Amino acid sequence: MSVSIQSFEHGASEAEAIARRLGISYDSIRVHRFPDGESLVTVAPPAPVTILYCSLDWPNARLVELMLAVEALRRNGARRLVLVAPYLCYMRQDKAFHPGEAISQHAMGRWLGGMFDRIVTVDAHLHRVSDLSAVFPGIEAENLSAAESIAAFVKEKNLPPSTLVAGPDSESGQWVSMIARTLGCEAVTGRKRRLGDRKVEIEFPGGPLDGRTVLFADDIVSSGGTMTAAIRALKQAGAGDIYVAITHALFDNEAEVAMHAAGARAIWSTTSVPHPTSAITLDALFAGALRRETARQGD
Ligand code: R5P
């Protein structure tokens, strides 16, 4: 079956880069927004296997347009639909912490799982669920890791061998240890306490850092509270230059200014979410995972 990729305007350059790597055609999806807030979505003619590239930052608006695109793609002949959502929204709320709370991860599992045959993402924020297949039972689901792409990018920066790779909490251990292994550096994770949406306290074990360079890594920066608290704690412990590498940059300019003011020398994020800090491309990672779609082309 032939394969093509489509995206909305917000993912065009990343989707085109994947299309070039796979040697498949790329088409853009057009959106007209009516004065009352509704959207008219127009897709291109789909291939039997159509990959839809749509990062789901700003999810409340994007999810509805994604749903409309799927309606049009299916009705116009797409037999297999693959969603590439580099940032997969609403994964953090995986249980009801207080009575009456919605479990957004379950809702996404049912909604997106009902629209697509396969979902591919990177560094999905999974806490109590270890496998993305548990979020999307009944369809193919893969959670890729950006750690190797981040490590390869940072390696080119020639940070000193004594660099400490740090993460805010035990959950960041998976990225931190992988990046540290590739760079041949030591790794440490902190103890984090969240006091509110933007207020976080972090402590790092170990003694004074005596001017050591630190590479701080995490999956998501949203309000920037975690990152800013971590940078302050590391600076207080005597860190020298602090560099930041993250997968999903969801933060605004104010948070970026705060992170630099706290002492971040440079902030590098992946292209998962188009952002002023985007520096680490993921098209090779996604193309690698999607190659089996094109390998089926003779089917
Ligand atoms: C939490 O467990 C994540 O790994 C991130 O540390 C968190 O989502 C960052 O959020 P914020 O930037 O709002 O502190």
Side-chain angles (χ1 to χ4, degrees):
M1 289 198 283
S2 75
V3 184
S4 72
I5 186 165
Q6 300 198 19
S7 82
F8 295 92
E9 196 189 343
H10 50 78
S13 56
E14 292 77 19
E16 281 179 289
I18 294 171
R20 278 194 297 277
R21 282 190 183 270
L22 294 176
I24 60 175
S25 64
Y26 165 78
D27 292 291
S28 57
I29 298 172
R30 285 182 291 120
V31 179
H32 173 75
R33 299 210 172 86
F34 294 106
D36 59 13
E38 291 189 4
S39 302
L40 173 64
V41 168
T42 308
V43 301
V49 178
T50 297
I51 300 165
L52 214 167
Y53 182 99
C54 182
S55 208
L56 290 169
D57 48 311
W58 300 109
N60 294 2
R62 288 195 182 168
L63 282 165
V64 170
E65 290 174 357
L66 185 70
M67 175 187 74
L68 297 174
V70 167
E71 189 284 327
L73 291 168
R74 290 275 186 212
R75 193 167 34 77
N76 284 283
R79 283 163 47 196
R80 176 172 168 83
L81 277 184
V82 179
L83 172 66
V84 176
Y87 177 66
L88 187 59
C89 58
Y90 283 120
M91 289 295 111
R92 283 176 280 184
Q93 179 88 7
D94 60 1
K95 75 174 218 182
F97 295 91
H98 303 99
E101 280 180 355
I103 304 178
S104 58
Q105 189 185 88
H106 290 183
M108 283 302 115
R110 279 188 216 110
W111 193 12
L112 295 177
M115 288 197 272
F116 291 94
D117 300 285
R118 181 181 175 199
I119 293 179
V120 181
T121 187
V122 60
D123 292 344
H125 195 92
L126 304 177
H127 269 259
R128 280 152 283 263
V129 173
S130 58
D131 191 343
L132 198 65
S133 303
V135 180
F136 299 108
I139 64 162
E140 299 162 56
E142 284 136 275
N143 184 21
L144 308 176
S145 170
E148 278 185 34
S149 311
I150 291 174
F153 174 88
V154 175
K155 210 173 165 93
E156 297 295 308
K157 301 290 171 191
N158 290 317
L159 302 186
S162 61
T163 297
L164 181 67
V165 184
D169 48 24
S170 56
E171 281 142 16
S172 63
Q174 51 186 309
W175 298 286
V176 167
S177 52
M178 159 67 208
I179 294 168
R181 234 188 347 268
T182 308
L183 299 177
C185 296
E186 260 186 86
V188 69
T189 53
R191 261 191 314 274
K192 166 171 158 184
R193 211 156 67 90
R194 184 170 283 285
L195 307 170
D197 279 348
R198 291 171 185 272
K199 200 163 167 29
V200 166
E201 277 177 3
I202 300 194
E203 287 168 39
F204 287 95
L209 290 170
D210 296 329
R212 236 171 130 179
T213 298
V214 176
L215 173 69
F216 192 85
D218 203 1
D219 57 343
I220 302 172
V221 176
S222 175
S223 71
T226 301
M227 190 62 70
T228 306
I231 294 168
R232 285 199 189 117
L234 290 162
K235 278 286 177 196
Q236 255 166 24
D241 288 337
I242 299 182
Y243 298 89
V244 170
I246 52 164
T247 306
H248 308 293
L250 303 179
F251 52 96
D252 59 17
N253 183 254
E254 202 182 318
E256 190 176 340
V257 169
M259 287 186 265
H260 281 295
R265 178 145 186 206
I267 303 172
W268 303 305
S269 66
T270 75
T271 47
S272 140
V273 174
H275 192 270
T277 59
S278 294
I280 306 164
T281 54
L282 295 178
D283 50 295
L285 181 71
F286 285 119
L290 294 167
R291 222 169 283 284
R292 70 183 161 88
E293 302 296 336
T294 52
R296 286 181 180 148
Q297 285 203 73
D299 293 0

